[in-house]
């Protein structure tokens, strides 16, 4: 095993000794080929050809080969030792590379943590600064400070809007004493090829000869959007021709909708040649088809 400071290298004299050894060995191989009368490289000497030689020629070849190999014992030993040292040095170098890679990875992780902390601190300071500036602006422009009740009211409104975005309301679906509301709503939605998971409940107080609307809650606002787009197809179904699906509106929105409907009815009464409809909170019209 070489020391830590071992430096395996091949100087000019070692390379020259290896070249000489190779030439001498090749020369001996050529002697054997000539003695056994091998005509080409592919024609190799074998035991039968060697047995044809007389004892004197065979002994001569053996002694020549022994002299060549024995004369370079030291060279071969040195070469083998150097190769083993090279293997050891390569393994040690690989270990050093792996250690350096581990140290580099640790340094990168430390730098990443530092960047994260720095960014977090900057963001925190920026947010605090913006909140302070906003608070100062509100104080300057408002005669009355925002109260805790005001904040609660705003939060309640936001939450309520978010809840309604996942609701639709079904109007005109017949109500019975013992009804399976889940099955009834499923039949309506299946008619427009929608099968979302939902929860359904009648809303409002029950009154004679009236069917209460049904509030249906689905998984997302996108599901609500799909249902509302397809809801107009119910008018082509005899079973659900009088069923109407609308978005879940706030009390203010419902009041506005009632006013729009009343206005639309008045316009329809005075303009029989027009077909009126409500879209995005406005009344539109088009000519009736003859």
């Amino acid at each position: 095993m070489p020391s830590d400071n071992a430096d395996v290298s091949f100087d000019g004299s070692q390379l020259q000794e290896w070249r000489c050894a190779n030439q001498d060995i090749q020369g001996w191989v050529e002697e054997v080929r000539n003695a056994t009368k091998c005509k080409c490289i592919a024609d190799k000497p074998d035991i039968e050809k060697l047995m044809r030689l007389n004892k004197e020629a065979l002994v001569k070849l053996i002694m020549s080969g022994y002299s060549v190999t024995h004369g370079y014992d030291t060279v071969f030993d040195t070469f083998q030792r150097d190769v083993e040292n090279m293997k050891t040095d390569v393994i040690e170098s690989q270990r050093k590379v792996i250690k350096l890679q581990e140290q580099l990875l640790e340094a990168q992780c430390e730098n990443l943590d530092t960047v994260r902390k720095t960014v977090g601190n900057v963001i925190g300071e920026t947010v605090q600064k913006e909140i302070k500036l906003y608070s100062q602006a509100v104080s300057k422009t408002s005669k009355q400070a925002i109260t805790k009740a005001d904040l609660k009211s705003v939060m309640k409104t936001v939450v309520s809007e978010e809840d309604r975005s996942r609701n639709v309301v079904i109007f005109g679906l017949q109500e019975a004493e013992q009804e399976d509301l889940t099955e009834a709503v499923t039949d309506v939605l299946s008619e427009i090829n929608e099968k979302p998971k939902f929860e359904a409940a009648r809303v409002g107080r029950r009154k004679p000869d009236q069917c209460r609307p049904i509030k249906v809650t689905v998984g997302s606002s996108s599901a609500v959007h799909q249902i509302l787009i397809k809801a107009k197809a119910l008018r082509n179904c005899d079973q659900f021709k009088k069923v109407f699906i609308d978005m879940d509106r706030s009390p203010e929105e419902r009041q506005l909708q009632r006013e729009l409907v009343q206005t639309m009815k008045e316009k329809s009464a005075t303009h029989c040649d027009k077909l009126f409809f409500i879209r995005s909170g406005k009344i539109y019209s088009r000519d009736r088809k003859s």
Side-chain angles (χ1 to χ4, degrees), residues 173-195:
L173 192 62
Q174 291 297 321
E175 184 174 358
E177 288 288 342
Q178 300 294 330
E179 63 179 355
D180 188 340
L181 202 56
T182 300
E183 182 179 354
V185 172
T186 299
D187 290 341
V188 173
L189 296 179
S190 296
E191 187 63 32
I192 58 175
N193 295 321
E194 288 293 324
K195 298 180 180 180

Side-chain angles (χ1 to χ4, degrees), residues 2 7 15 28 31 36 45 47 51 66 78 98 115 129 138 161 163 172 176 196-197 209-210 224 244 247 265 282 286:
D7 183 14
L15 292 174
W28 178 74
E31 287 181 18
T36 54
I47 295 177
M51 292 297 293
Y66 173 78
T78 301
I98 293 173
V115 170
K129 182 179 179 180
V138 170
E161 290 291 339
D163 289 342
K197 293 182 179 181
D209 302 327
Q210 289 187 5
V224 168
F244 173 70
M247 66 179 67
K265 289 180 179 179
K282 294 181 179 181
R286 66 169 180 262

